[in-house]
Amino acid sequence: MWCNMVVNNKDNITKIGLLFYICSIVGYIYEMILCLIDNGKFLSHGILFGPWLPIYGTGAVLIFTLRKYRKKPLIIFMLSFLLSGILEWICGYLLLNFLNIRLWDYRGWFLNLNGFVCFLSAFIFGCGGIFIIYFLLPVIEKIIRNCKRKNLILFLSGLSLLFSIDLICTIFKLN
C-alpha cells in the first residue's frame, strides 16, 4: 500500500507540473487571442517575459484538487467558478496594492468586484474547470502512462528552470 501511495504521489506531482505549465501557456494564448479580437493586434499580457501566465496554471492546480467530485459536474463548475474568482480577485488586489500594476480591469462589467473579477470571467473559468477535469486531465494521464518518467522529469525540470529564470528577471525588472 505504501508503495502505491508513493507512485500515486509521484504521478500527482507530474500531473500538477504538466497541468500548471500547459494551462499557463494556454492562458497566455487565450489572452493573446482576446487582445487580437479586442484590439486587432497581438499584445503580450502579464509581467513575465515568457509565453505563460501563471495565474492560469495556479487556477488549474486549484481545480485539480476538485477531481474527487468528478461524478458531480455541477459541483466542479460551481467550485471552479468560486475558486478561480477568488484567485483572480486576490491576484488583482495584490498586484495593484503591492506592485502598483493593474493587469486586467473589469470595472464597468456585470457583477464585478473592484474590477479584479467579474461574473463573465468567473463563468469562463468555471467552464475551464469542467474542461480541465473531464478533458485535459485524462490527456495528461495518458501522456504520463505513455512517456518515460525520466523524460517527463527532464521536460518539467527544463520548464521549471526557464520559468524560474523568467521570474528572477522579472523581479529585477520591477525593482
Side-chain angles (χ1 to χ4, degrees), residues 30 43 47 60 70 81-82 91 93 119 125 130 142:
Y30 168 74
L43 296 173
I47 56 176
R70 192 172 191 332
F81 178 100
L82 185 65
C91 289
Y93 177 86
F119 178 82
F125 296 134
I130 295 290
K142 186 175 182 180

Side-chain angles (χ1 to χ4, degrees), residues 53-70:
L53 294 174
I55 189 171
Y56 284 89
T58 303
V61 170
L62 287 174
I63 290 166
F64 176 79
T65 66
L66 304 177
R67 67 196 185 287
K68 61 187 169 197
Y69 301 111
R70 192 172 191 332

Side-chain angles (χ1 to χ4, degrees), residues 23-82:
C23 290
S24 293
I25 293 167
V26 168
Y28 181 86
I29 294 166
Y30 168 74
E31 294 275 338
M32 287 189 66
I33 291 169
L34 287 180
C35 278
L36 179 63
I37 292 167
D38 268 358
N39 303 317
K41 58 183 171 184
F42 286 113
L43 296 173
S44 181
H45 271 261
I47 56 176
L48 297 175
F49 295 101
W52 36 44
L53 294 174
I55 189 171
Y56 284 89
T58 303
V61 170
L62 287 174
I63 290 166
F64 176 79
T65 66
L66 304 177
R67 67 196 185 287
K68 61 187 169 197
Y69 301 111
R70 192 172 191 332
K71 295 185 183 204
K72 300 178 181 177
L74 186 58
I75 298 288
I76 288 175
F77 173 80
M78 291 179 350
L79 290 174
S80 297
F81 178 100
L82 185 65

Side-chain angles (χ1 to χ4, degrees), residues 87-106:
L87 175 66
E88 191 173 30
W89 188 89
I90 289 170
C91 289
Y93 177 86
L94 292 174
L95 284 167
L96 184 62
N97 288 288
F98 290 98
L99 297 177
N100 201 29
I101 298 171
R102 187 182 275 272
L103 292 177
W104 60 89
D105 191 354
Y106 297 119

Side-chain angles (χ1 to χ4, degrees), residues 123-143:
F123 181 83
I124 290 169
F125 296 134
C127 295
I130 295 290
F131 177 79
I132 287 168
I133 296 296
Y134 295 105
F135 300 102
L136 187 55
L137 277 177
V139 169
I140 288 172
E141 288 165 352
K142 186 175 182 180
I143 290 169

